[in-house]
Amino acid sequence: MEAQPAPLQLPAPAQAQFEPNMEKIKQKLLKHGVFPTPKILRSIRKKEIQKHNRKQAKIQSQAQLSPSQQQALAEEQHFQTLKREFKMFRRAVAAKSGDPLVGKPWERIERLKFRQLASESKEFAGDNLKRENLRELKEMFEKDLNWVLDDDVQLGSDYFAKNVEWHPEKRWRSEAEAIRVLVDRLSEREMTAKNWKFVRIMNQSGLMFTEGQMLKLLKGLGDKGSWRQAMSVLDWVYGLKDKRDLKSRFVYTKLLAILGKAGRPHEALRIFNLMLEDCNLYPDIAAYHSVAVTLGQVGLLKELVKLIERMRQKPSKRIKNMCRKNWDPVLEPDLVVYNAVLNACVPSHQWKGVFWVFKQLRKSGLKPSAATYGLAMEVMLQSGKYDLVHEFFRKMAKSGEAIGALTYKVLVRAFWEEGKINEAVAAVRNMEQRGVVGTASVYYELACCLCNNGRWQDAMLVVEKIKSLRHSKPLEITFTGLIISSMDGGHIDDCISIFQHMKDHCEPNIGTVNAMLKVYSRNDMFSKAKELFEETTRANSSGYTFLSGDGTPLKPDEYTYSSMLEASATAHQWEYFEYVYKGMALSGCQLDQTKHAWLLVEASRAGKCHLLEHAFDSLLEAGEIPHPLFFTEMLIQAIVQSNYEKAVALINAMAYAPFHITERQWTELFESNEDRISRDKLEKLLNALCNCNAASSEITVSNLSRALHALCRSEKERDLSSSAHFGSQAIDISPLHGIHEAFDVKETENVPSSASMMFENADLGADPLPQKTDVAVDIDSINHSSLSRQADADTEMFSKALSYIHSNDRPSNLCIDMEGLADDWASSEHSDYLDKELAALYLSKQSQDNDVVGLQKSMNRVVGSQRSELPSASEILEAWKESREKDGIFFPFEHGKKSL
């Protein structure tokens, strides 16, 4: 039986691919203000097709479900329907019952009020909302509901006054309105691109951030001085995935201009370097001009020279988005760039750079402009090259360039610096004869020049010309500058005359008052300063005397109080000083401690200690660190009052302050206050410092401890030297406890009675008052110039042994055992040196006025004389040997020797 052939299966007809309605999409894009470019249309068409395919796939998947799955899907849809109906039912019940907080304890009362206000329907009917209700709602938001608008759009007060049809989905009427609101919101606070509020504000604006919109947005932020926000906007927008390929060179150039206006050269360099890394953003001549002017204004000359070299170089091979062939963006610097170089030479006084610029201009075939000559003159003026200032002025006149008023200002200043006043006046007259309209700055410079040289009456004629000019500063500022110029010239009477003449033309401002107070304080005219200060304070309280130019009463500032405090301190009027300080404290002003710390210190020494303490506490409350003079003066006051607890507290505070006081400074401080502090008080301070938990490891405290030890030791030496007497009187010398019976000197000649104090305590932390039986060695008292190098090495070993004893906290009155040292040295070649050494130690305290020659003669006489009653070195070593058997003290090298 033959098999039946399988029926031929024809392929199913292919379904037609879904095609979206492109005309409808175009109309929708145009309605939203987006031009339908082919790229945008292709992207939208692709997304619509994908959306349609996903929808069809979902439908097919539901058709292929089993009956149980279809039943579960139907039940889920039914549940969602019931859920929506139940929510509507709850809202209706809550509206009728009037208790919307039932079951919602987490909601705030402000949200409830806002919802009740929004749900009321009796105030309006239909879709029209009354304007009065909007104003009431606005007032409620301003008073109690600020938290609602914290992250939302804040509309201006004129928004509700206009007859505007408001739509909730479209907050702003146009693109310009959206940019204005966005600029206002961004400039109100400091936000970066990482802040979530910044991202939310940018998204709520509804802008597409095209090139034109970005330029307008950056311009608005630049006008408000918000350069940080401008950089954040640029980083955020061009950080988006769909905007990375749409970066614009013009937007980056606009940002460079904003940074230059704000005076941020380093940020501008960073943006400029980013432009150099991308072919689409590679800087053109406008970008070079912007960054060059920015660098020139702040004087970054080295960066400018590198910029010129960069202009003449080809781009790096690793540049991004390089898709052009034979692309050569190399540029040559023009006159704007070279003028920026001259501008950078002004603050750095690089007058040789002027000749380099003119040489480059000749090579490039560029002709210098009037600004070029003017900047060259400014550089030479700041560098003190006045002859070159006049030389460039002659070249400028010879070149045919129009000489402006600013050039004459530089010329007048140069004549002023040279002391040629008549030539400065002649230069201004020459300017007027040439028909150049003088500016206020030229006449102001001439007036200051005249006042500085004692010709204030001629300067008043120049001021009359300033009054006739349109764009000039207020006369108060002009007269204040003239007063300061006269004060710098030493013409005090002219300052007073200008001040009296000023009252006939305008009212003095607070700057003028401060200048006159400075004049009075520096010339011992306290009565006039007091009168002027009281007139100013009366004007502030009642407003009947001095008024500013706008009619408001003068208000003393911190400079006013500082000048009056200086005048009071100079005249030693401390009662009035206290009165001024109290007024300053009540007004909220604070003294500049870096400049006027000495005022409060002098007042404290004059008996106004409470003012210094108040300033000290005020600075600490404000989070500032008081001046070191405050600490030292308060420490001196605490010592004078015998308040050592307060003194120790101040010392502990100084230990952790960001400044250090050296030992020499401590010594000079105590010596300069000898009339206020006795040595007994210094000793008590030292004892209090040793008995407390002071930060002895800090530099300031350790330096203080050393200074106190040195001062107390020198005082005791002077006291003992003054009490010493010579003759046949018997002197009992007992330098060592337990060995005073070994020798007893009864009859001596020319031996001071202070010989019992011949050994000084080597440990700075020990008791500064040694007892009679104390044993200590003053290594510093040895005259090293009279000893050999080998003896110096032995002395160093001896001092190490003493430091070992004190490092183990041995009592100062402990008997020292020296058997090991005696055994080693007595049997060696050092025994003779030891005799001389100890004899020198005994006689080194004989007199502070003896020189090295006298000391050597005394040593030789004592050592060589057989009739001397002083104990020899061997007797002393024998005594130490006997004391060691009682106490058993060993040095480190003795332990090592015993172990061997």
Side-chain angles (χ1 to χ4, degrees):
M1 187 175 181
E2 295 181 1
Q4 293 286 340
L8 182 62
Q9 295 181 357
L10 298 176
Q15 296 181 356
Q17 186 179 4
F18 172 76
E19 287 292 338
N21 190 353
M22 303 305 297
E23 292 296 331
K24 185 177 180 180
I25 293 174
K26 290 181 181 179
Q27 295 298 329
K28 189 175 181 180
L29 290 176
L30 292 173
K31 183 179 179 180
H32 288 83
V34 179
F35 183 76
T37 61
K39 185 177 180 180
I40 295 176
L41 292 176
R42 286 196 300 269
S43 300
I44 295 178
R45 176 181 174 277
K46 182 178 179 180
K47 291 182 179 180
E48 289 293 333
I49 293 174
Q50 292 176 354
K51 182 179 178 181
H52 175 77
N53 294 337
R54 288 194 300 269
K55 187 176 181 180
Q56 294 296 327
K58 184 177 180 181
I59 294 174
Q60 293 179 3
S61 62
Q62 291 180 359
Q64 297 176 0
L65 294 176
S66 62
S68 60
Q69 293 178 347
Q70 293 180 0
Q71 183 180 359
L73 182 61
E75 290 177 355
E76 179 66 23
Q77 293 178 354
H78 182 64
F79 172 75
Q80 294 295 336
T81 304
L82 293 177
K83 184 178 179 181
R84 287 193 298 268
E85 293 177 355
F86 180 71
K87 284 184 178 180
M88 296 174 62
F89 172 75
R90 284 187 58 187
R91 292 175 183 173
V93 171
K96 291 182 180 180
S97 63
D99 190 8
L101 285 181
V102 175
K104 298 180 181 179
W106 57 86
E107 290 192 357
R108 298 172 58 177
I109 190 64
E110 292 85 357
R111 187 181 295 274
L112 172 63
K113 293 180 180 179
F114 177 68
R115 190 166 58 250
Q116 289 179 351
L117 180 64
S119 62
E120 290 181 356
S121 59
K122 60 182 180 179
E123 294 294 335
F124 62 94
D127 297 331
N128 296 327
L129 188 63
K130 292 184 179 180
R131 193 179 304 167
E132 293 80 4
N133 298 333
L134 291 177
R135 294 194 184 97
E136 293 178 1
L137 182 61
K138 175 176 175 293
E139 294 176 358
M140 182 179 295
F141 275 119
E142 291 178 350
K143 293 181 180 179
D144 302 327
L145 300 176
N146 286 329
W147 61 273
V148 178
L149 292 179
D150 185 26
D151 302 324
D152 207 345
V153 180
Q154 296 183 1
L155 300 178
S157 59
D158 58 341
Y159 187 84
F160 295 96
K162 300 178 182 179
N163 188 10
V164 180
E165 183 179 357
W166 185 80
H167 195 276
E169 296 180 357
K170 188 176 181 181
R171 290 173 177 161
W172 303 289
R173 296 171 294 163
S174 60
E175 175 185 307
E177 184 72 12
I179 293 176
R180 183 187 66 82
V181 174
L182 185 57
V183 168
D184 293 340
R185 297 186 68 191
L186 290 176
S187 59
E188 287 177 356
R189 62 196 75 183
E190 292 286 343
M191 291 186 300
T192 61
K194 297 181 180 180
N195 195 330
W196 67 272
K197 286 188 178 182
F198 178 87
V199 178
R200 182 178 180 182
I201 291 174
M202 296 294 290
N203 290 328
Q204 286 180 349
S205 64
L207 297 174
M208 296 296 296
F209 298 108
T210 60
E211 182 180 354
Q213 293 175 353
M214 288 291 294
L215 290 174
K216 294 178 183 178
L217 182 58
L218 293 181
K219 182 180 182 301
L221 292 173
D223 294 340
K224 291 182 175 291
S226 303
W227 60 271
R228 288 189 178 88
Q229 290 84 337
M231 293 184 65
S232 299
V233 167
L234 192 71
D235 294 339
W236 183 81
V237 171
Y238 290 143
L240 300 176
K241 292 183 179 180
D242 55 342
K243 300 293 182 181
R244 291 176 182 175
D245 298 333
L246 300 178
K247 296 180 180 180
S248 173
R249 179 193 301 115
F250 305 106
V251 176
Y252 276 87
T253 306
K254 184 66 178 179
L255 182 59
L256 289 177
I258 293 173
L259 294 174
K261 183 179 179 181
R264 310 300 300 185
H266 299 289
E267 288 79 1
L269 278 177
R270 184 174 69 85
I271 298 298
F272 185 78
N273 292 331
L274 290 178
M275 297 175 67
L276 291 173
E277 297 174 358
D278 196 338
C279 179
N280 296 332
L281 302 178
Y282 203 82
D284 53 1
I285 192 62
Y288 278 106
H289 285 174
S290 181
V291 70
V293 171
T294 303
L295 296 176
Q297 290 175 350
V298 296
L300 298 179
L301 186 58
K302 293 182 179 180
E303 287 74 4
L304 261 176
V305 175
K306 292 180 181 178
L307 182 69
I308 293 176
E309 295 176 355
R310 191 69 186 84
M311 293 178 67
R312 295 168 175 171
Q313 294 177 0
K314 292 185 178 181
S316 174
K317 295 181 179 180
R318 298 181 180 180
I319 192 171
K320 300 178 183 178
N321 301 323
M322 173 61 76
C323 57
R324 307 177 190 176
K325 293 182 179 180
N326 300 326
W327 178 55
D328 188 12
V330 176
L331 298 173
E332 284 293 329
D334 56 359
L335 196 59
V336 176
V337 178
Y338 286 120
N339 287 344
V341 175
L342 291 176
N343 198 11
C345 294
V346 174
S348 58
H349 301 170
Q350 295 288 341
W351 59 275
K352 294 183 179 180
V354 176
F355 299 102
W356 179 83
V357 169
F358 276 87
K359 181 179 179 180
Q360 296 297 321
L361 290 176
R362 286 193 298 269
K363 288 182 178 180
S364 303
L366 299 175
K367 182 181 179 182
S369 63
T372 307
Y373 286 108
L375 288 171
M377 293 173 61
E378 183 73 22
V379 174
M380 297 304 173
L381 173 64
Q382 296 297 327
S383 303
K385 306 293 182 180
Y386 305 116
D387 52 344
L388 294 177
V389 173
H390 304 306
E391 181 66 24
F392 277 105
F393 181 78
R394 287 190 292 268
K395 288 184 178 181
M396 183 178 181
K398 186 177 180 180
S399 64
E401 294 289 339
I403 304 177
L406 294 178
T407 306
Y408 280 101
K409 176 186 175 181
V410 177
L411 189 63
V412 170
R413 185 70 184 187
F415 283 126
W416 181 8
E417 297 290 340
E418 292 178 287
K420 301 178 180 179
I421 311 304
N422 296 327
E423 286 80 355
V425 177
V428 176
R429 290 179 180 175
N430 184 23
M431 178 191 70
E432 295 174 346
Q433 292 175 359
R434 285 174 174 266
V436 179
V437 179
T439 59
S441 61
V442 180
Y443 291 112
Y444 175 76
E445 199 76 26
L446 179 61
C448 290
C449 174
L450 294 173
C451 289
N452 188 260
N453 290 272
R455 298 171 57 177
W456 75 273
Q457 295 179 350
D458 296 338
M460 294 302 104
L461 300 177
V462 180
V463 172
E464 294 296 328
K465 296 182 179 180
I466 297 177
K467 292 171 61 177
S468 62
L469 298 176
R470 304 179 66 182
H471 302 287
S472 61
K473 295 181 178 180
L475 287 178
E476 295 88 350
I477 300 177
T478 302
F479 279 106
T480 303
L482 298 182
I483 291 173
I484 295 176
S485 180
S486 298
M487 179 180 63
D488 294 338
H491 306 285
I492 308 304
D493 296 334
D494 292 354
C495 296
I496 301 175
S497 301
I498 294 172
F499 184 65
Q500 297 297 331
H501 183 80
M502 174 185 180
K503 295 179 181 179
D504 299 334
H505 294 79
C506 61
E507 293 294 336
N509 59 5
I510 194 62
T512 310
V513 174
N514 294 341
M516 290 305 300
L517 289 177
K518 189 71 68 177
V519 171
Y520 293 145
S521 64
R522 293 183 178 179
N523 295 277
D524 297 333
M525 304 172 71
F526 173 74
S527 59
K528 292 187 177 182
K530 178 181 177 182
E531 181 182 357
L532 178 60
F533 178 75
E534 291 180 351
E535 288 181 359
T536 306
T537 54
R538 284 200 303 269
N540 183 33
S541 59
S542 60
Y544 81 96
T545 310
F546 283 161
L547 297 176
S548 60
D550 54 356
T552 58
L554 295 180
K555 184 179 180 180
D557 56 4
E558 55 184 5
Y559 299 102
T560 308
Y561 289 108
S562 299
S563 301
M564 196 61 215
L565 287 175
E566 184 177 353
S568 303
T570 305
H572 299 282
Q573 299 292 332
W574 301 113
E575 296 298 329
Y576 199 78
F577 183 93
E578 181 178 1
Y579 167 74
V580 175
Y581 181 82
K582 289 180 179 179
M584 181 185 68
L586 293 175
S587 64
C589 299
Q590 191 170 354
L591 191 67
D592 187 4
Q593 58 171 340
T594 58
K595 297 180 180 179
H596 304 97
W598 64 274
L599 296 176
L600 290 173
V601 173
E602 293 295 330
S604 176
R605 294 175 180 174
K608 303 297 180 180
C609 308
H610 55 283
L611 300 182
L612 179 61
E613 293 179 357
H614 178 271
F616 187 85
D617 296 338
S618 300
L619 290 172
L620 291 178
E621 292 176 359
E624 298 182 11
I625 300 175
H627 197 273
L629 288 177
F630 289 4
F631 282 99
T632 55
E633 180 60 27
M634 291 182 66
L635 177 62
I636 296 297
Q637 292 292 341
I639 298 173
V640 171
Q641 300 170 3
S642 299
N643 191 354
Y644 299 106
E645 294 181 0
K646 180 180 178 181
V648 171
L650 287 171
I651 292 171
N652 288 332
M654 295 174 65
Y656 301 103
F659 56 82
H660 301 296
I661 300 179
T662 62
E663 181 181 355
R664 181 179 179 182
Q665 291 174 342
W666 280 120
T667 305
E668 292 177 353
L669 175 66
F670 292 132
E671 290 178 350
S672 62
N673 291 275
E674 286 181 346
D675 55 338
R676 305 163 64 188
I677 304 175
S678 62
R679 298 295 174 174
D680 296 337
K681 292 186 176 181
L682 290 181
E683 292 178 358
K684 292 179 180 179
L685 175 63
L686 180 59
N687 294 332
L689 191 63
C690 295
N691 295 330
C692 72
N693 296 325
S696 58
S697 61
E698 299 296 331
I699 299 178
T700 301
V701 180
S702 60
N703 291 337
L704 173 62
S705 179
R706 285 194 293 268
L708 289 174
H709 276 98
L711 290 173
C712 295
R713 183 175 57 189
S714 62
E715 180 65 20
K716 286 184 292 184
E717 290 173 357
R718 286 196 297 266
D719 293 341
L720 291 173
S721 299
S722 62
S723 63
H725 60 279
F726 303 94
S728 60
Q729 185 179 359
I731 302 175
D732 184 15
I733 304 177
S734 302
L736 298 175
H737 177 70
I739 63 171
H740 59 278
E741 296 177 352
F743 57 92
D744 190 9
V745 181
K746 296 296 182 182
E747 297 289 337
T748 57
E749 293 182 16
N750 298 331
V751 179
S753 62
S754 61
S756 61
M757 301 299 296
M758 62 181 174
F759 293 114
E760 290 294 330
N761 198 341
D763 187 7
L764 296 180
D767 189 2
L769 298 176
Q771 299 178 1
K772 182 179 179 180
T773 59
D774 288 349
V775 178
V777 180
D778 189 0
I779 301 301
D780 295 334
S781 63
I782 302 176
N783 188 2
H784 295 283
S785 61
S786 63
L787 304 177
S788 62
R789 296 182 180 178
Q790 185 176 5
D792 289 338
D794 297 335
T795 305
E796 182 179 0
M797 183 183 298
F798 190 76
S799 63
K800 290 182 178 179
L802 290 176
S803 62
Y804 174 77
I805 292 178
H806 294 293
S807 64
N808 287 275
D809 297 329
R810 301 280 183 181
S812 60
N813 58 353
L814 190 62
C815 300
I816 302 178
D817 183 87
M818 297 287 291
E819 183 189 33
L821 187 62
D823 294 340
D824 292 341
W825 286 11
S827 61
S828 64
E829 58 185 1
H830 303 295
S831 58
D832 295 336
Y833 161 71
L834 184 61
D835 294 342
K836 297 180 181 180
E837 179 71 9
L838 292 175
L841 288 174
Y842 270 98
L843 295 177
S844 60
K845 298 299 181 178
Q846 179 179 355
S847 175
Q848 297 294 332
D849 299 330
N850 289 344
D851 56 1
V852 177
V853 178
L855 182 59
Q856 289 287 350
K857 290 181 180 180
S858 300
M859 291 171 58
N860 296 332
R861 183 176 66 253
V862 173
V863 174
S865 178
Q866 298 297 330
R867 58 185 179 86
S868 177
E869 298 295 331
L870 289 176
S872 63
S874 59
E875 293 176 346
I876 296 175
L877 293 177
E878 289 295 333
W880 279 339
K881 182 178 179 180
E882 294 176 1
S883 64
R884 194 198 69 157
E885 296 177 356
K886 298 180 181 179
D887 298 329
I889 301 176
F890 297 93
F891 284 99
F893 50 80
E894 287 187 288
H895 287 286
K897 181 179 179 182
K898 297 293 183 181
S899 61
L900 293 175

